Amino acid sequence: MLTRFAPSPTGYLHIGNIRTALICYLYAKSKGGQFMLRIDDTDTQRSEEKYVDAINQDLKWLGISPDRTERQSARFARYDAAIEKLKADGRLYPCYETQQELDMKRKFQMNQGLPPLYDRSALNLSDEQKSKYEAEGRTPHWRFKLDQDKVSTWEDEIRGTQKFEMRHMSDPILIRENGMYTYMLPSTVDDIELGVTHVLRGEDHVSNTAIQLQIFDALAGTRPIFAHNSLIKTKEGKLSKRVGSQSVGDIRDSGIEPMAVASFLAKIGTSDSVEIRESLEQLVAEFDISKFGRAPTIYETEDIERLNSKLLHVSSFDKVKEELAAIGLSQIDEEFWLAVRSNIGSLQDVKEWWQICKEVINPTIEDEEFMQEAAKLLPQGNWNEETWKNWTDAVKERTGRKGKELFMPLRKALTAQEHGPELKMILPLIGRERAIARLNGQAA
Ligand code: GLU
């Protein structure tokens, strides 16, 4: 079994792309198969090396290492050979319409209430007319001649039986007038020649599949099994700008853990509940393509953040040490980590707690007299997790305050926040000197 993830390196991967990558990977591994990264870089004008690097980096961050990598730009000879075959078999024909002419035809059809299908007028061009166009300096684009009497049908592993009447489809352009291949043919040639057995991709490719099946047949290639996953949407509808434009790099930089992303993306849109998993192996073991449904997959960034918090709350210092250093927090030690981990949504939040505990803040003082009293009662000696209880017991006895009345003003004075990690954990980190100053209303 071989699956492939086939991004075009014309931009950064976003959450939808990486979901497809993950599902391809998990599917292959769950069947003891292989996962291939195929860089779809036939569009030499729009493809950039920096995006190829980013794709590799994103996959690595998620823990996905491809068993194989191929680049379409190294395989043009293969596509040329396929083109020759299609030409010889009368399945490819040259067309000379300009984009403007095609747009006009389409508009005209729409105005008549007709579907905007290509009318195949190029099939009727005489050799003379073709030469005339060429003499005018027009270069042809090439269309694949669909068998429009047929119905393209396949058993989609997610969508069930699919049927497309090909008379409702336009002959697809395989080569543009600038000689560039469109996605259609190279993808099919590669799926055949590289031995791809399972094509898993987003449902925006469903109609491409109907067309590509005819290309598979025209090239006498073995049809792979297809599965089209539903697209990710937000609660408001389509992927919003904020969420949709969020690249994997952005998510990584916001301090979200790869396993929070992987756990989320492996489970949304399936019959399993979305829960945190600590390794890809666990996700592999639970993977089953039949758990995926057709309904749109609803996503909000907060969903991943929530999972991320859950993961961080149970993460050991060893697990996060390197990542903390990578985001400029190499000063964090185990004691500090254990004190704050249950109160953060992402590793970036550790920074805020570091500032609160170790740098200067302006305390929020509500009752000066009470604070001064409390400051006087701060214990001497080495502070540990017991210190908070010993101290607040003493404050309670002296002032008669208890519960929220007692704890909230102390929290605000010590951290300038209403919420945060347990004070018994962070009081020793703040230290006696700073605590006294803050209780006395000083910026410290
Ligand atoms: N390069 C295509 C894309 O990014 C690949 C689609 C496919 O998986 O076949 O949409």
Side-chain angles (χ1 to χ4, degrees):
M1 172 184 191
L2 178 67
T3 63
R4 91 293 195 275
F5 171 54
S8 305
T10 53
Y12 293 110
L13 298 180
H14 58 66
I15 200 90
N17 306 129
I18 203 76
R19 175 165 178 247
T20 301
L22 182 72
I23 299 173
C24 286
Y25 174 81
L26 297 175
Y27 196 5
K29 295 297 142 185
S30 73
K31 297 274 187 208
Q34 298 218 313
F35 167 78
M36 172 165 74
L37 169 65
R38 189 184 81 201
I39 301 290
D40 282 6
D41 55 353
T42 53
D43 188 336
T44 47
Q45 281 164 8
R46 291 178 56 227
S47 299
E48 286 185 50
E49 235 22 59
K50 70 169 182 195
Y51 296 127
V52 177
D53 294 344
I55 290 165
N56 280 309
Q57 199 190 355
D58 291 346
L59 291 180
K60 191 167 169 225
W61 177 71
L62 262 195
I64 296 178
S65 53
D67 299 297
R68 202 170 149 186
T69 301
E70 296 283 346
R71 288 185 74 138
Q72 291 197 322
S73 56
R75 295 179 43 80
F76 282 121
R78 302 309 311 149
Y79 314 142
D80 295 346
I83 284 293
E84 287 318 309
K85 175 170 170 47
L86 295 180
K87 276 185 187 167
D89 293 346
R91 297 301 295 272
L92 203 70
Y93 62 98
C95 306
Y96 292 86
E97 295 93 342
T98 61
Q99 192 55 52
Q100 211 176 6
E101 285 164 352
L102 289 174
D103 288 346
M104 264 165 57
K105 278 189 193 190
R106 208 171 300 134
K107 241 182 228 160
F108 181 76
Q109 287 168 318
M110 308 262 270
N111 287 342
Q112 308 261 303
L114 296 166
L117 284 186
Y118 177 59
D119 62 8
R120 289 186 159 175
S121 54
L123 278 177
N124 303 321
L125 291 176
S126 64
D127 287 344
E128 215 185 341
Q129 283 167 312
K130 289 183 201 168
S131 313
K132 209 177 128 230
Y133 280 135
E134 306 242 348
E136 275 175 22
R138 293 200 192 195
T139 46
H141 54 273
W142 294 80
R143 287 189 190 259
F144 175 72
K145 192 160 171 263
L146 291 171
D147 186 345
Q148 286 183 321
D149 296 332
K150 289 219 169 107
V151 178
S152 249
T153 163
W154 74 95
E155 285 307 314
D156 193 288
E157 289 199 306
I158 295 177
R159 300 170 61 83
T161 307
Q162 300 291 292
K163 283 196 174 106
F164 280 77
E165 291 196 39
M166 299 315 278
R167 63 192 167 90
H168 297 315
M169 300 213 143
S170 293
D171 291 338
I173 297 172
L174 301 193
I175 304 178
R176 289 189 227 280
E177 65 290 339
N178 62 4
M180 205 92 92
Y181 281 107
T182 63
Y183 147 80
M184 230 21 127
L185 178 85
S187 180
T188 311
V189 170
D190 289 348
D191 287 339
I192 296 171
E193 295 189 2
L194 304 176
V196 172
T197 58
H198 291 67
V199 170
L200 196 139
R201 56 190 177 192
E203 67 181 8
D204 48 334
H205 284 290
V206 168
S207 59
N208 287 340
T209 300
I211 290 169
Q212 284 176 332
L213 284 178
Q214 287 211 350
I215 305 180
F216 274 101
D217 295 350
L219 295 174
T222 308
R223 295 175 168 200
I225 291 168
F226 286 91
H228 294 85
N229 56 278
S230 64
L231 298 184
I232 298 192
K233 298 190 166 136
T234 60
K235 291 188 184 100
E236 296 84 48
K238 268 169 72 104
L239 265 188
S240 72
K241 250 223 158 110
R242 183 174 69 94
V243 177
S245 63
Q246 207 180 20
S247 68
V248 178
D250 290 340
I251 296 175
R252 179 175 55 231
D253 292 345
S254 68
I256 300 284
E257 294 299 292
M259 275 316 296
V261 175
S263 302
F264 183 72
L265 294 180
K267 299 293 184 182
I268 42 163
T270 76
S271 48
D272 282 347
S273 52
V274 179
E275 284 163 25
I276 197 73
R277 295 284 178 265
E278 287 187 57
S279 72
L280 286 183
E281 287 71 41
Q282 269 173 287
L283 293 175
V284 167
E286 293 165 358
F287 186 88
D288 184 345
I289 195 73
S290 67
K291 290 178 180 171
F292 285 79
R294 287 184 60 163
T297 319
I298 307 295
Y299 162 80
E300 295 293 340
T301 9
E302 294 74 31
D303 297 335
I304 290 189
E305 285 164 3
R306 217 168 300 130
L307 272 191
N308 197 52
S309 313
K310 283 194 187 155
L311 180 64
L312 292 175
H313 298 177
V314 297
S315 291
S316 68
F317 180 61
D318 270 352
K319 245 192 157 156
V320 295
K321 196 161 59 182
E322 277 168 32
E323 282 172 79
L324 284 169
I327 58 168
L329 292 172
S330 48
Q331 72 273 38
I332 306 298
D333 60 11
E334 184 161 19
E335 184 192 9
F336 194 89
W337 171 249
L338 295 178
V340 302
R341 68 175 181 180
S342 56
N343 249 275
I344 53 175
S346 83
L347 284 184
Q348 289 289 355
D349 296 344
V350 175
K351 199 174 265 172
E352 190 189 337
W353 284 104
W354 178 264
Q355 282 161 355
I356 291 172
C357 295
K358 301 289 183 189
E359 292 169 16
V360 177
I361 58 161
N362 276 314
T364 310
I365 304 291
E366 277 172 357
D367 179 340
E368 272 179 44
E369 216 172 299
F370 168 64
M371 289 304 156
Q372 282 159 12
E373 201 70 44
K376 282 186 214 141
L377 294 168
L378 275 171
Q380 302 281 348
N382 277 342
W383 281 12
N384 56 32
E385 283 179 35
E386 307 298 314
T387 310
W388 169 254
K389 186 170 185 321
N390 295 340
W391 175 45
T392 50
D393 280 351
V395 178
K396 186 166 148 189
E397 208 180 297
R398 174 76 55 91
T399 63
R401 291 203 190 205
K402 53 183 187 203
K404 209 175 165 204
E405 288 266 281
L406 170 66
F407 300 123
M408 187 52 91
L410 293 178
R411 178 178 282 284
K412 286 200 208 161
L414 290 168
T415 68
Q417 306 285 320
E418 289 187 15
H419 305 281
E422 283 184 90
L423 284 160
K424 72 170 186 186
M425 303 292 278
I426 57 170
L427 184 64
L429 299 172
I430 293 172
R432 190 163 194 276
E433 205 176 312
R434 192 172 274 121
I436 291 177
R438 288 180 185 176
L439 293 167
N440 285 311
Q442 293 154 17

